[in-house]
Amino acid sequence: MRRSFKFLLRPTARQAGSLAACLEDHRNLYNAALEHRRTAYRMAGVTVRYGDQSGDLKHIRADDADGQGRWSFCSQQATLRRLDKAFTAFFRRVKAGRRAGFPRFKGRGWFDTIEWPRDGDGCRWNSQPEHPAATFVRLQGIGHVRVHQHRPIAGTVKTISVKREGRRWLLILSCDDVPAAPLPQTGAVAGIDLGVASLVTTSDGAHLANPRHLRSAADRLAAAQRDLARRKRGSNRRRKTARRVAVLHGKVRRQRLDTAHKAALSLVRDYDLIVCEDLRIGNMTRSASGTVEAPGRNVAAKSGLNRSILDAGWGVFLRILAHKAESAGRELIAVDPRNTSRKCAACGHCAAGNRTTQAEFHCLACGHTAHADVNAAVNILRAGLALRDAAEAA
């Protein structure tokens, strides 16, 4: 399998300055390449591709030896390839008739990652293996940077990335041939229903709590954002306040990730087969404000529901659950979520009136009563088992 390992970097003050300069030069390269493509097409109708810009890179480095020439050629190619992927995705969305989103210039704070595509080409993981107590990564133009390696890595290091988060620098290693770590079979299966009151409800009736991290930090965030709105643009006080807002959001994000990892791990340890809903979270959290001609209804209530769904982090949880299930040798099936909360698990009757409240299910046909989320989880499990049986029969 391919897995990523993330570690905290411990750069010196000089190395931190070099990392910031490297990131800024890569951002400028990205923006210049984007302007090159836009100008060539607007003025001459010429489409510039990655190969053309990669060929020009050696001349750019020769003309700016103290700037772009300091950094790894391979990492600069990765930045140009990143722009090419943005254009490829843009044309794919245009062809599919979706909202296109033309590639944009990257301002400060919107370009935070540098990638070295090959270990050994402009970078070297564990560059000082003889050191008795520390691990280092060597980056061209920056030097040997100390890594806070809190766990061993597995597999073969293929790509190395450095990411800035606030004032912290992170190292991300993408490794191939990572061995799986299958867990012993339990013989248990479960369907799971994602919710806001409880993050996960299983078909066995278990509930995993939703800590609502954003709601817990809402007062501090609101105060910090009010302070930010009062600061003069470009001032040092505004930059300091913006960092304070970013720190609060970063803490919420890390808390949400921690909750998702722990919830997914508990499910993977307990069940051999897990069935979940194939949710379209982007559609579910779309704004209901409408337009001037056709304004939406219950906009405030829908806005609150969207905020609660995003605070729960369903998408993050499902992605982590898929990774852990693959690593542990568990089976994960995603089913169509339509009518799973309206269908009676006892008799199969489906009606909107079956769900009397958010937490109570009462079938109008047979009188079956249950917790609404447990009833939905049972329906999800049955749909997943039927899908698996059909696949095996085929």
Side-chain angles (χ1 to χ4, degrees):
M1 297 183 298
R2 187 162 188 142
R3 286 289 179 264
S4 294
F5 299 85
K6 184 184 291 187
F7 303 110
L8 184 66
L9 287 177
R10 304 287 192 185
T12 64
R14 184 192 64 80
Q15 290 173 339
S18 298
L19 283 169
C22 180
L23 189 64
E24 181 65 12
D25 283 342
H26 278 74
R27 184 181 74 89
N28 290 333
L29 177 65
Y30 183 97
N31 288 340
L34 175 56
E35 179 61 26
H36 181 205
R37 291 190 180 218
R38 287 162 54 101
T39 303
Y41 189 81
R42 184 176 65 251
M43 302 299 292
V46 175
T47 299
V48 179
R49 303 189 185 278
Y50 163 75
D52 306 319
Q53 294 185 321
S54 180
D56 294 338
L57 190 55
K58 59 182 179 180
H59 304 296
I60 295 173
R61 291 169 56 87
D63 295 339
D64 187 17
D66 295 332
Q68 296 290 348
R70 294 178 292 173
W71 316 120
S72 164
F73 187 88
C74 193
S75 68
Q76 292 171 325
Q77 284 183 314
T79 297
L80 295 178
R81 199 174 292 113
R82 174 177 172 178
L83 175 63
D84 190 64
K85 290 178 181 178
F87 271 95
T88 301
F90 164 73
F91 289 117
R92 183 173 64 247
R93 291 190 296 268
V94 170
K95 186 175 181 180
R98 296 160 52 196
R99 185 176 178 180
F102 191 82
R104 295 185 292 181
F105 293 102
K106 300 294 185 180
R108 296 179 189 272
W110 291 94
F111 190 95
D112 291 325
T113 305
I114 311 167
E115 180 183 332
W116 287 262
R118 289 182 296 277
D119 182 23
D121 192 349
C123 61
R124 171 64 67 188
W125 166 247
N126 197 14
S127 58
Q128 296 183 0
E130 70 281 356
H131 197 286
T135 305
F136 292 85
V137 60
R138 184 188 177 278
L139 305 173
Q140 181 177 327
I142 298 165
H144 298 271
V145 186
R146 185 171 179 173
V147 182
H148 181 73
Q149 187 182 359
H150 62 277
R151 61 169 175 160
I153 66 167
T156 305
V157 176
K158 303 299 289 185
T159 68
I160 296 177
S161 301
V162 171
K163 182 177 182 180
R164 180 176 61 188
E165 285 189 359
R167 291 188 171 184
R168 307 193 314 164
W169 293 93
L170 301 175
L171 181 75
I172 303 170
L173 306 176
S174 182
C175 301
D176 270 349
D177 303 324
V178 177
L183 295 174
Q185 297 292 313
T186 65
V189 298
I192 59 172
D193 180 66
L194 302 185
V196 173
S198 297
L199 175 61
V200 175
T201 301
T202 70
S203 53
D204 296 338
H207 299 272
L208 302 183
N210 176 21
R212 303 173 187 260
H213 299 296
L214 184 62
R215 178 180 291 185
S216 301
D219 292 340
R220 285 170 292 162
L221 271 170
Q225 288 170 335
R226 281 195 299 268
D227 290 343
L228 180 63
R230 297 189 186 102
R231 301 292 185 245
K232 182 179 178 180
R233 288 186 176 273
S235 67
N236 287 331
R237 295 181 71 191
R238 181 180 175 85
R239 280 191 286 271
K240 290 176 64 177
T241 308
R243 282 197 294 267
R244 181 154 60 97
V245 173
V247 166
L248 290 171
H249 277 293
K251 181 177 181 180
V252 171
R253 182 180 58 80
R254 291 191 298 272
Q255 288 174 326
R256 191 178 291 132
L257 273 173
D258 182 68
T259 299
H261 274 286
K262 290 176 179 176
L265 182 60
S266 67
L267 291 172
V268 167
R269 283 174 173 170
D270 292 341
Y271 301 105
D272 293 341
L273 169 67
I274 303 170
V275 186
C276 63
E277 295 173 292
D278 186 15
L279 298 174
R280 298 292 184 264
I281 300 171
N283 295 341
M284 296 174 65
T285 55
R286 188 173 296 162
S287 173
S289 58
T291 62
V292 176
E293 296 80 10
R297 295 181 299 175
N298 299 324
V299 176
K302 182 63 166 66
S303 176
L305 176 61
N306 291 351
R307 190 181 304 110
S308 297
I309 292 174
L310 295 174
D311 187 17
W314 293 352
V316 171
F317 168 76
L318 290 174
R319 184 176 70 249
I320 291 174
L321 178 62
H323 292 165
K324 289 189 181 297
E326 180 187 13
S327 179
R330 303 308 200 199
E331 187 176 2
L332 181 66
I333 300 176
V335 300
D336 189 345
R338 286 179 294 182
N339 294 325
T340 53
S341 61
R342 299 179 176 184
K343 184 179 179 181
C344 177
C347 69
H349 177 254
C350 183
N354 284 347
R355 191 161 186 168
T356 55
T357 66
Q358 185 64 26
E360 296 180 0
F361 184 92
H362 181 81
C363 180
L364 299 177
C366 69
H368 172 69
T369 59
H371 191 285
D373 293 340
V374 175
N375 180 82
V378 172
N379 289 328
I380 292 168
L381 175 60
R382 289 177 178 170
L385 293 175
L387 199 63
R388 185 183 65 171
D389 293 343
E392 291 176 352

